[in-house]
Amino acid sequence: MMVQVEAGAIDKLFVHRFQTDQLLVVRGQFVLVILQNRRYRYIPLSDQVPTVVKIPPGVPHGAVNLDTEDCLMVNAVLRHGQPHERDYRPLNPPFPYNLVAVKQALESLDYRLTA
């Protein structure tokens, strides 16, 4: 399925119980936020550095797009059972995202493009 992360979006978290997300950005960029061990990981994704990221069931994740342009990605979903009603209900993050870390993650993409 195609998914859009709107410009300026700071999404809440989602947790899928019976689904693996497989993400590939086809236009634009955003930062995938993963909650692991009560810490956020910030993973920059861009059409300029094609990367597929797998998010297994049970992993809380969200998206931040600080850009002025929308981001478009493909999510090749793998279902491991019937979707649960709470799979698509956003959750408030337990603590705020670190937007400085988000910007640094995006800057690391710029570095990879010029290196």
Side-chain angles (χ1 to χ4, degrees):
M1 75 177 75
M2 298 298 286
V3 179
Q4 180 172 302
V5 181
E6 293 183 12
I10 300 176
D11 290 346
K12 294 182 178 183
L13 296 171
F14 290 89
V15 179
H16 307 301
R17 284 132 186 94
F18 305 106
Q19 169 179 317
T20 296
D21 287 341
Q22 300 179 108
L23 308 176
L24 174 68
V25 173
V26 294
R27 187 182 73 224
Q29 63 184 15
F30 82 105
V31 174
L32 175 65
V33 181
I34 303 285
L35 179 61
Q36 288 182 309
N37 301 323
R38 301 230 8 108
R39 297 185 73 169
Y40 291 127
R41 272 184 63 207
Y42 300 97
I43 302 168
L45 297 172
S46 167
D47 60 355
Q48 299 297 306
V49 183
T51 305
V52 175
V53 175
K54 283 187 173 185
I55 306 168
V59 175
H61 59 284
V64 177
N65 181 0
L66 299 179
D67 205 350
T68 57
E69 295 184 23
D70 294 346
C71 177
L72 187 63
M73 69 179 134
V74 174
N75 186 354
V77 173
L78 296 174
R79 298 218 187 271
H80 310 291
Q82 293 297 317
H84 192 278
E85 68 181 50
R86 294 190 313 187
D87 283 355
Y88 305 100
R89 198 179 302 161
L91 306 170
N92 288 323
F95 43 93
Y97 299 146
N98 180 340
L99 296 184
V100 171
V102 169
K103 289 176 186 175
Q104 290 172 338
L106 289 171
E107 288 169 1
S108 76
L109 270 179
D110 293 337
Y111 175 77
R112 283 192 269 173
L113 291 173
T114 59

